[in-house]
mmCIF file of all heavy atoms in Angstrom:
data_model
loop_
_atom_site.group_PDB
_atom_site.id
_atom_site.type_symbol
_atom_site.label_atom_id
_atom_site.label_comp_id
_atom_site.label_asym_id
_atom_site.label_seq_id
_atom_site.Cartn_x
_atom_site.Cartn_y
_atom_site.Cartn_z
ATOM 1 N N LEU F 1004 -16.228 7.483 -1.749
ATOM 2 C CA LEU F 1004 -16.893 7.823 -2.996
ATOM 3 C C LEU F 1004 -17.416 6.530 -3.620
ATOM 4 O O LEU F 1004 -16.650 5.596 -3.866
ATOM 5 C CB LEU F 1004 -15.906 8.501 -3.959
ATOM 6 C CG LEU F 1004 -16.434 8.894 -5.327
ATOM 7 C CD1 LEU F 1004 -17.515 9.974 -5.210
ATOM 8 C CD2 LEU F 1004 -15.289 9.389 -6.213
ATOM 9 N N ALA F 1005 -18.713 6.473 -3.849
ATOM 10 C CA ALA F 1005 -19.301 5.280 -4.466
ATOM 11 C C ALA F 1005 -18.819 5.157 -5.906
ATOM 12 O O ALA F 1005 -18.717 6.157 -6.630
ATOM 13 C CB ALA F 1005 -20.825 5.355 -4.431
ATOM 14 N N VAL F 1006 -18.498 3.936 -6.309
ATOM 15 C CA VAL F 1006 -18.102 3.679 -7.690
ATOM 16 C C VAL F 1006 -19.041 2.636 -8.275
ATOM 17 O O VAL F 1006 -19.724 1.915 -7.545
ATOM 18 C CB VAL F 1006 -16.640 3.176 -7.792
ATOM 19 C CG1 VAL F 1006 -15.681 4.220 -7.262
ATOM 20 C CG2 VAL F 1006 -16.460 1.857 -7.041
ATOM 21 N N GLU F 1007 -19.088 2.583 -9.605
ATOM 22 C CA GLU F 1007 -19.863 1.531 -10.253
ATOM 23 C C GLU F 1007 -19.280 0.187 -9.811
ATOM 24 O O GLU F 1007 -18.096 -0.076 -10.008
ATOM 25 C CB GLU F 1007 -19.746 1.671 -11.767
ATOM 26 C CG GLU F 1007 -20.662 0.761 -12.559
ATOM 27 C CD GLU F 1007 -22.126 1.125 -12.442
ATOM 28 O OE1 GLU F 1007 -22.432 2.317 -12.205
ATOM 29 O OE2 GLU F 1007 -22.956 0.217 -12.578
ATOM 30 N N PRO F 1008 -20.091 -0.666 -9.166
ATOM 31 C CA PRO F 1008 -19.544 -1.918 -8.612
ATOM 32 C C PRO F 1008 -18.863 -2.779 -9.676
ATOM 33 O O PRO F 1008 -19.328 -2.872 -10.807
ATOM 34 C CB PRO F 1008 -20.784 -2.626 -8.056
ATOM 35 C CG PRO F 1008 -21.757 -1.524 -7.792
ATOM 36 C CD PRO F 1008 -21.516 -0.513 -8.875
ATOM 37 N N TRP F 1009 -17.749 -3.368 -9.299
ATOM 38 C CA TRP F 1009 -17.070 -4.291 -10.205
ATOM 39 C C TRP F 1009 -16.536 -5.466 -9.416
ATOM 40 O O TRP F 1009 -16.446 -5.426 -8.196
ATOM 41 C CB TRP F 1009 -15.967 -3.585 -10.998
ATOM 42 C CG TRP F 1009 -15.004 -2.742 -10.255
ATOM 43 C CD1 TRP F 1009 -15.256 -1.535 -9.673
ATOM 44 C CD2 TRP F 1009 -13.622 -3.012 -10.010
ATOM 45 N NE1 TRP F 1009 -14.114 -1.034 -9.091
ATOM 46 C CE2 TRP F 1009 -13.098 -1.919 -9.278
ATOM 47 C CE3 TRP F 1009 -12.764 -4.056 -10.348
ATOM 48 C CZ2 TRP F 1009 -11.775 -1.854 -8.873
ATOM 49 C CZ3 TRP F 1009 -11.432 -3.996 -9.947
ATOM 50 C CH2 TRP F 1009 -10.972 -2.903 -9.218
ATOM 51 N N HIS F 1010 -16.242 -6.552 -10.148
ATOM 52 C CA HIS F 1010 -15.957 -7.834 -9.516
ATOM 53 C C HIS F 1010 -14.568 -8.351 -9.866
ATOM 54 O O HIS F 1010 -14.085 -8.143 -10.972
ATOM 55 C CB HIS F 1010 -16.980 -8.890 -9.956
ATOM 56 C CG HIS F 1010 -18.411 -8.497 -9.745
ATOM 57 N ND1 HIS F 1010 -19.076 -7.632 -10.587
ATOM 58 C CD2 HIS F 1010 -19.302 -8.859 -8.790
ATOM 59 C CE1 HIS F 1010 -20.321 -7.472 -10.158
ATOM 60 N NE2 HIS F 1010 -20.484 -8.208 -9.069
ATOM 61 N N ILE F 1011 -13.971 -9.035 -8.928
ATOM 62 C CA ILE F 1011 -12.721 -9.767 -9.163
ATOM 63 C C ILE F 1011 -12.833 -11.104 -8.431
ATOM 64 O O ILE F 1011 -13.234 -11.150 -7.265
ATOM 65 C CB ILE F 1011 -11.483 -9.001 -8.649
ATOM 66 C CG1 ILE F 1011 -11.194 -7.792 -9.528
ATOM 67 C CG2 ILE F 1011 -10.262 -9.913 -8.618
ATOM 68 C CD1 ILE F 1011 -9.988 -6.972 -9.085
ATOM 69 N N VAL F 1041 -9.039 -5.298 -16.692
ATOM 70 C CA VAL F 1041 -9.870 -4.711 -15.645
ATOM 71 C C VAL F 1041 -9.057 -3.726 -14.807
ATOM 72 O O VAL F 1041 -9.497 -2.606 -14.528
ATOM 73 C CB VAL F 1041 -10.454 -5.810 -14.733
ATOM 74 C CG1 VAL F 1041 -11.144 -5.204 -13.515
ATOM 75 C CG2 VAL F 1041 -11.430 -6.675 -15.503
ATOM 76 N N GLN F 1044 -8.331 -0.290 -16.147
ATOM 77 C CA GLN F 1044 -9.468 0.628 -16.172
ATOM 78 C C GLN F 1044 -9.684 1.325 -14.837
ATOM 79 O O GLN F 1044 -10.498 2.244 -14.752
ATOM 80 C CB GLN F 1044 -10.739 -0.143 -16.561
ATOM 81 C CG GLN F 1044 -10.712 -0.739 -17.951
ATOM 82 C CD GLN F 1044 -11.858 -1.707 -18.188
ATOM 83 O OE1 GLN F 1044 -12.801 -1.766 -17.400
ATOM 84 N NE2 GLN F 1044 -11.794 -2.448 -19.269
ATOM 85 N N HIS F 1045 -8.972 0.881 -13.817
ATOM 86 C CA HIS F 1045 -9.177 1.452 -12.486
ATOM 87 C C HIS F 1045 -7.867 2.014 -11.946
ATOM 88 O O HIS F 1045 -6.852 1.327 -11.933
ATOM 89 C CB HIS F 1045 -9.727 0.394 -11.536
ATOM 90 C CG HIS F 1045 -11.068 -0.125 -11.950
ATOM 91 N ND1 HIS F 1045 -12.245 0.543 -11.683
ATOM 92 C CD2 HIS F 1045 -11.413 -1.228 -12.657
ATOM 93 C CE1 HIS F 1045 -13.249 -0.133 -12.185
ATOM 94 N NE2 HIS F 1045 -12.781 -1.212 -12.792
ATOM 95 N N TYR F 1050 -9.539 1.016 -2.133
ATOM 96 C CA TYR F 1050 -10.962 0.787 -2.367
ATOM 97 C C TYR F 1050 -11.517 -0.070 -1.230
ATOM 98 O O TYR F 1050 -10.782 -0.516 -0.349
ATOM 99 C CB TYR F 1050 -11.168 0.056 -3.698
ATOM 100 C CG TYR F 1050 -10.710 0.818 -4.923
ATOM 101 C CD1 TYR F 1050 -9.360 0.867 -5.271
ATOM 102 C CD2 TYR F 1050 -11.629 1.478 -5.735
ATOM 103 C CE1 TYR F 1050 -8.944 1.561 -6.402
ATOM 104 C CE2 TYR F 1050 -11.217 2.172 -6.865
ATOM 105 C CZ TYR F 1050 -9.870 2.212 -7.195
ATOM 106 O OH TYR F 1050 -9.463 2.901 -8.315
ATOM 107 N N PHE F 1051 -12.821 -0.335 -1.279
ATOM 108 C CA PHE F 1051 -13.410 -1.216 -0.270
ATOM 109 C C PHE F 1051 -14.656 -1.889 -0.836
ATOM 110 O O PHE F 1051 -15.154 -1.520 -1.899
ATOM 111 C CB PHE F 1051 -13.762 -0.432 0.999
ATOM 112 C CG PHE F 1051 -14.839 0.612 0.799
ATOM 113 C CD1 PHE F 1051 -16.167 0.332 1.048
ATOM 114 C CD2 PHE F 1051 -14.502 1.884 0.345
ATOM 115 C CE1 PHE F 1051 -17.157 1.293 0.861
ATOM 116 C CE2 PHE F 1051 -15.485 2.850 0.150
ATOM 117 C CZ PHE F 1051 -16.818 2.554 0.404
ATOM 118 N N GLY F 1052 -15.114 -2.894 -0.116
ATOM 119 C CA GLY F 1052 -16.291 -3.614 -0.577
ATOM 120 C C GLY F 1052 -16.490 -4.873 0.238
ATOM 121 O O GLY F 1052 -16.223 -4.900 1.445
ATOM 122 N N TRP F 1053 -16.911 -5.928 -0.448
ATOM 123 C CA TRP F 1053 -17.228 -7.193 0.207
ATOM 124 C C TRP F 1053 -16.383 -8.308 -0.383
ATOM 125 O O TRP F 1053 -16.095 -8.312 -1.577
ATOM 126 C CB TRP F 1053 -18.707 -7.508 0.064
ATOM 127 C CG TRP F 1053 -19.572 -6.474 0.705
ATOM 128 C CD1 TRP F 1053 -20.178 -5.410 0.099
ATOM 129 C CD2 TRP F 1053 -19.919 -6.393 2.087
ATOM 130 N NE1 TRP F 1053 -20.875 -4.658 1.010
ATOM 131 C CE2 TRP F 1053 -20.733 -5.240 2.246
ATOM 132 C CE3 TRP F 1053 -19.616 -7.167 3.214
ATOM 133 C CZ2 TRP F 1053 -21.248 -4.860 3.485
ATOM 134 C CZ3 TRP F 1053 -20.132 -6.787 4.442
ATOM 135 C CH2 TRP F 1053 -20.946 -5.646 4.573
ATOM 136 N N MET F 1066 -9.113 -2.645 0.243
ATOM 137 C CA MET F 1066 -8.205 -3.206 -0.754
ATOM 138 C C MET F 1066 -7.358 -2.130 -1.407
ATOM 139 O O MET F 1066 -7.830 -1.019 -1.666
ATOM 140 C CB MET F 1066 -9.044 -3.899 -1.828
ATOM 141 C CG MET F 1066 -8.279 -4.462 -3.001
ATOM 142 S SD MET F 1066 -9.418 -5.177 -4.222
ATOM 143 C CE MET F 1066 -9.985 -3.691 -5.052
ATOM 144 N N LEU F 1100 -14.447 -10.851 -4.874
ATOM 145 C CA LEU F 1100 -14.555 -9.477 -4.376
ATOM 146 C C LEU F 1100 -15.597 -8.698 -5.159
ATOM 147 O O LEU F 1100 -15.690 -8.814 -6.382
ATOM 148 C CB LEU F 1100 -13.210 -8.759 -4.512
ATOM 149 C CG LEU F 1100 -11.972 -9.450 -3.926
ATOM 150 C CD1 LEU F 1100 -10.728 -8.621 -4.224
ATOM 151 C CD2 LEU F 1100 -12.128 -9.653 -2.425
ATOM 152 N N VAL F 1101 -16.358 -7.886 -4.437
ATOM 153 C CA VAL F 1101 -17.238 -6.891 -5.047
ATOM 154 C C VAL F 1101 -16.773 -5.539 -4.536
ATOM 155 O O VAL F 1101 -16.900 -5.246 -3.342
ATOM 156 C CB VAL F 1101 -18.722 -7.122 -4.694
ATOM 157 C CG1 VAL F 1101 -19.587 -6.006 -5.270
ATOM 158 C CG2 VAL F 1101 -19.189 -8.467 -5.227
ATOM 159 N N ILE F 1102 -16.209 -4.740 -5.422
ATOM 160 C CA ILE F 1102 -15.665 -3.433 -5.039
ATOM 161 C C ILE F 1102 -16.746 -2.384 -5.262
ATOM 162 O O ILE F 1102 -17.299 -2.271 -6.365
ATOM 163 C CB ILE F 1102 -14.400 -3.093 -5.861
ATOM 164 C CG1 ILE F 1102 -13.283 -4.102 -5.551
ATOM 165 C CG2 ILE F 1102 -13.921 -1.684 -5.544
ATOM 166 C CD1 ILE F 1102 -13.248 -5.306 -6.439
ATOM 167 N N VAL F 1103 -17.082 -1.626 -4.226
ATOM 168 C CA VAL F 1103 -18.217 -0.700 -4.302
ATOM 169 C C VAL F 1103 -17.849 0.758 -4.045
ATOM 170 O O VAL F 1103 -18.646 1.653 -4.329
ATOM 171 C CB VAL F 1103 -19.331 -1.123 -3.324
ATOM 172 C CG1 VAL F 1103 -19.845 -2.515 -3.682
ATOM 173 C CG2 VAL F 1103 -18.851 -1.083 -1.872
ATOM 174 N N GLY F 1104 -16.656 1.019 -3.487
ATOM 175 C CA GLY F 1104 -16.334 2.400 -3.157
ATOM 176 C C GLY F 1104 -14.838 2.671 -3.153
ATOM 177 O O GLY F 1104 -14.014 1.754 -3.153
ATOM 178 N N TYR F 1105 -14.511 3.947 -3.141
ATOM 179 C CA TYR F 1105 -13.128 4.435 -3.223
ATOM 180 C C TYR F 1105 -12.853 5.312 -2.014
ATOM 181 O O TYR F 1105 -13.722 6.091 -1.575
ATOM 182 C CB TYR F 1105 -12.979 5.238 -4.517
ATOM 183 C CG TYR F 1105 -11.655 5.919 -4.725
ATOM 184 C CD1 TYR F 1105 -10.540 5.207 -5.131
ATOM 185 C CD2 TYR F 1105 -11.520 7.298 -4.555
ATOM 186 C CE1 TYR F 1105 -9.316 5.831 -5.362
ATOM 187 C CE2 TYR F 1105 -10.311 7.943 -4.789
ATOM 188 C CZ TYR F 1105 -9.213 7.203 -5.189
ATOM 189 O OH TYR F 1105 -8.006 7.834 -5.413
ATOM 190 N N LEU F 1137 -26.212 2.422 1.217
ATOM 191 C CA LEU F 1137 -25.622 2.601 -0.103
ATOM 192 C C LEU F 1137 -24.667 1.469 -0.450
ATOM 193 O O LEU F 1137 -24.580 1.038 -1.611
ATOM 194 C CB LEU F 1137 -24.878 3.946 -0.152
ATOM 195 C CG LEU F 1137 -24.073 4.266 -1.417
ATOM 196 C CD1 LEU F 1137 -25.013 4.436 -2.617
ATOM 197 C CD2 LEU F 1137 -23.237 5.523 -1.214
ATOM 198 N N TYR F 1138 -23.948 0.963 0.545
ATOM 199 C CA TYR F 1138 -22.945 -0.073 0.334
ATOM 200 C C TYR F 1138 -23.346 -1.441 0.904
ATOM 201 O O TYR F 1138 -22.949 -2.477 0.367
ATOM 202 C CB TYR F 1138 -21.616 0.343 0.972
ATOM 203 C CG TYR F 1138 -21.040 1.637 0.452
ATOM 204 C CD1 TYR F 1138 -20.785 2.714 1.313
ATOM 205 C CD2 TYR F 1138 -20.741 1.802 -0.900
ATOM 206 C CE1 TYR F 1138 -20.233 3.895 0.846
ATOM 207 C CE2 TYR F 1138 -20.195 2.989 -1.374
ATOM 208 C CZ TYR F 1138 -19.940 4.032 -0.501
ATOM 209 O OH TYR F 1138 -19.392 5.201 -0.975
ATOM 210 N N LYS F 1140 -26.049 -3.057 0.856
ATOM 211 C CA LYS F 1140 -26.918 -3.881 0.007
ATOM 212 C C LYS F 1140 -26.127 -4.857 -0.866
ATOM 213 O O LYS F 1140 -26.646 -5.894 -1.285
ATOM 214 C CB LYS F 1140 -27.792 -2.990 -0.880
ATOM 215 C CG LYS F 1140 -27.002 -2.099 -1.832
ATOM 216 C CD LYS F 1140 -27.914 -1.157 -2.606
ATOM 217 C CE LYS F 1140 -27.118 -0.228 -3.519
ATOM 218 N NZ LYS F 1140 -28.005 0.719 -4.235
ATOM 219 N N PHE F 1141 -24.858 -4.540 -1.120
ATOM 220 C CA PHE F 1141 -24.059 -5.388 -2.009
ATOM 221 C C PHE F 1141 -23.552 -6.653 -1.320
ATOM 222 O O PHE F 1141 -22.958 -7.504 -1.981
ATOM 223 C CB PHE F 1141 -22.892 -4.596 -2.588
ATOM 224 C CG PHE F 1141 -23.327 -3.522 -3.544
ATOM 225 C CD1 PHE F 1141 -23.340 -2.192 -3.158
ATOM 226 C CD2 PHE F 1141 -23.755 -3.845 -4.825
ATOM 227 C CE1 PHE F 1141 -23.755 -1.198 -4.028
ATOM 228 C CE2 PHE F 1141 -24.174 -2.860 -5.715
ATOM 229 C CZ PHE F 1141 -24.181 -1.529 -5.319
ATOM 230 N N VAL F 1142 -23.816 -6.792 -0.024
ATOM 231 C CA VAL F 1142 -23.431 -8.031 0.653
ATOM 232 C C VAL F 1142 -24.208 -9.218 0.082
ATOM 233 O O VAL F 1142 -23.800 -10.373 0.207
ATOM 234 C CB VAL F 1142 -23.643 -7.911 2.176
ATOM 235 C CG1 VAL F 1142 -25.130 -7.955 2.524
ATOM 236 C CG2 VAL F 1142 -22.871 -8.995 2.917
ATOM 237 N N ASP F 1144 -24.844 -9.523 -3.164
ATOM 238 C CA ASP F 1144 -24.534 -9.658 -4.589
ATOM 239 C C ASP F 1144 -24.387 -11.144 -4.933
ATOM 240 O O ASP F 1144 -23.633 -11.871 -4.278
ATOM 241 C CB ASP F 1144 -23.227 -8.921 -4.895
ATOM 242 C CG ASP F 1144 -22.961 -8.786 -6.388
ATOM 243 O OD1 ASP F 1144 -22.946 -9.823 -7.080
ATOM 244 O OD2 ASP F 1144 -22.751 -7.655 -6.852
ATOM 245 N N PRO F 1145 -25.105 -11.617 -5.961
ATOM 246 C CA PRO F 1145 -25.036 -13.042 -6.331
ATOM 247 C C PRO F 1145 -23.613 -13.526 -6.621
ATOM 248 O O PRO F 1145 -23.306 -14.703 -6.415
ATOM 249 C CB PRO F 1145 -25.905 -13.122 -7.594
ATOM 250 C CG PRO F 1145 -26.835 -11.958 -7.479
ATOM 251 C CD PRO F 1145 -26.063 -10.883 -6.803
ATOM 252 N N TYR F 1146 -22.756 -12.619 -7.078
ATOM 253 C CA TYR F 1146 -21.379 -13.011 -7.392
ATOM 254 C C TYR F 1146 -20.659 -13.552 -6.167
ATOM 255 O O TYR F 1146 -19.854 -14.470 -6.259
ATOM 256 C CB TYR F 1146 -20.630 -11.799 -7.965
ATOM 257 C CG TYR F 1146 -19.213 -12.102 -8.384
ATOM 258 C CD1 TYR F 1146 -18.947 -12.911 -9.471
ATOM 259 C CD2 TYR F 1146 -18.142 -11.564 -7.679
ATOM 260 C CE1 TYR F 1146 -17.631 -13.193 -9.856
ATOM 261 C CE2 TYR F 1146 -16.825 -11.835 -8.047
ATOM 262 C CZ TYR F 1146 -16.588 -12.646 -9.149
ATOM 263 O OH TYR F 1146 -15.299 -12.933 -9.524
ATOM 264 N N LEU F 1147 -20.965 -12.987 -5.011
ATOM 265 C CA LEU F 1147 -20.321 -13.432 -3.785
ATOM 266 C C LEU F 1147 -20.761 -14.845 -3.395
ATOM 267 O O LEU F 1147 -20.052 -15.548 -2.683
ATOM 268 C CB LEU F 1147 -20.632 -12.468 -2.641
ATOM 269 C CG LEU F 1147 -20.063 -11.050 -2.784
ATOM 270 C CD1 LEU F 1147 -20.605 -10.154 -1.678
ATOM 271 C CD2 LEU F 1147 -18.541 -11.052 -2.745
ATOM 272 N N LEU F 1152 -20.874 -14.216 -13.508
ATOM 273 C CA LEU F 1152 -21.252 -12.854 -13.908
ATOM 274 C C LEU F 1152 -22.093 -12.892 -15.161
ATOM 275 O O LEU F 1152 -21.949 -13.765 -15.995
ATOM 276 C CB LEU F 1152 -19.989 -12.040 -14.179
ATOM 277 C CG LEU F 1152 -19.179 -11.655 -12.947
ATOM 278 C CD1 LEU F 1152 -17.902 -10.937 -13.352
ATOM 279 C CD2 LEU F 1152 -19.985 -10.766 -12.019
#
Side-chain angles (χ1 to χ4, degrees):
L1004 179 65
V1006 298
E1007 188 69 27
W1009 49 289
H1010 306 78
I1011 289 180
V1041 171
Q1044 297 169 12
H1045 297 279
Y1050 297 79
F1051 65 94
W1053 299 96
M1066 176 183 79
L1100 308 177
V1101 176
I1102 296 91
V1103 299
Y1105 175 77
L1137 174 66
Y1138 301 121
K1140 61 185 178 182
F1141 292 104
V1142 73
D1144 191 305
Y1146 183 69
L1147 295 172
L1152 288 176

